Amino acid sequence: MKITLKNIAVVTSLCSALVLAPASFAGHNGGNYQGERDNGYHQMSEKKLAKLSRKLGLSESQQADIKVLRNEEKAQIEALKPAMKAFREQVKTLMSADNFDEEAFVQLQASNQDVFAAMALIKAKSKFAMKGVLTQEQLAKFRSMKHKRSRR
C-alpha cells in the first residue's frame, strides 16, 4: 500500500475535525432557544428604553409612563406563561415521537389559539399605548427609526 502526502493530509484533516468538533459546542449551555428567551426577551429592556429615550428625547414623565406600561404588559404575559410552557412541552413530546402525528399537532395548535390570541392582543395594546405616550414629532421619528431598521 502506497502512502502519499495527499492521503496523509486527508486523514489528518478528518482526525482534527473529529477532535475539534466537541470543542466548538463547549460554549453552548444546552438550553433551548425558547427557554433562553423567557428572561425578558420580548419586553423592552432597560438598555433599549435608555436608547429610545436618548434618540427620541423622552421626558422623565414619558419614561415613567412607558415603564408603567411595560410592567403592566409583563404582568399580563406572566399570567400566560404557564399555558405557553405547557404548549411547548406538548410540542416537544410530539416532536420526540418516532413518527410525526400531523393531526395531533394541528389539534394542539387549535386548542391553544385562545392563548396565542391573548398574547398577541396584549402586545398590540402595549405597543399602541406606548405610541400614545409619544408626541407627534417623537412618533414620526420613531416610525422613521423603525423604517430604517426594517430596511437592514
Side-chain angles (χ1 to χ4, degrees):
M1 182 166 146
K2 187 176 176 182
I3 299 177
T4 64
L5 187 59
K6 183 178 176 182
N7 289 343
I8 292 173
V10 169
V11 170
T12 305
S13 298
L14 288 174
C15 289
S16 63
L18 289 173
V19 168
L20 296 176
S24 67
F25 294 108
H28 183 65
N29 64 4
N32 66 354
Y33 292 107
Q34 291 174 338
E36 291 170 0
R37 280 191 278 182
D38 285 343
N39 295 333
Y41 175 79
H42 293 290
Q43 286 82 29
M44 186 185 306
S45 68
E46 291 295 324
K47 199 180 228 184
K48 285 182 183 179
L49 180 60
K51 185 176 180 180
L52 190 67
S53 297
R54 184 174 32 87
K55 290 200 176 218
L56 295 178
L58 297 179
S59 68
E60 293 293 324
S61 65
Q62 287 175 315
Q63 290 179 30
D65 290 345
I66 289 174
K67 284 182 182 181
V68 168
L69 291 171
R70 187 180 65 197
N71 290 335
E72 288 173 1
E73 176 190 12
K74 189 175 182 178
Q76 292 173 345
I77 288 176
E78 284 294 322
L80 295 177
K81 273 190 177 182
M84 291 299 290
K85 187 172 183 170
F87 171 74
R88 277 192 234 103
E89 289 297 322
Q90 290 170 335
V91 168
K92 195 183 291 185
T93 302
L94 283 174
M95 298 306 284
S96 65
D98 291 337
N99 296 322
F100 182 69
D101 188 358
E102 185 176 341
E103 183 61 34
F105 184 81
V106 169
Q107 190 175 24
L108 177 63
Q109 190 82 11
S111 67
N112 285 285
Q113 282 302 311
D114 57 337
V115 176
F116 302 146
M119 183 76 77
L121 181 63
I122 291 168
K123 290 178 182 291
K125 280 182 174 181
S126 178
K127 283 183 182 180
F128 189 79
M130 190 183 92
K131 287 180 182 180
V133 171
L134 303 177
T135 64
Q136 290 299 321
E137 296 82 24
Q138 290 169 334
L139 188 57
K141 188 167 184 176
F142 180 73
R143 286 183 179 143
S144 72
M145 288 167 46
K146 188 176 179 182
H147 180 67
K148 285 178 186 177
R149 191 174 59 233
S150 66
R151 286 189 291 160
R152 283 191 235 167

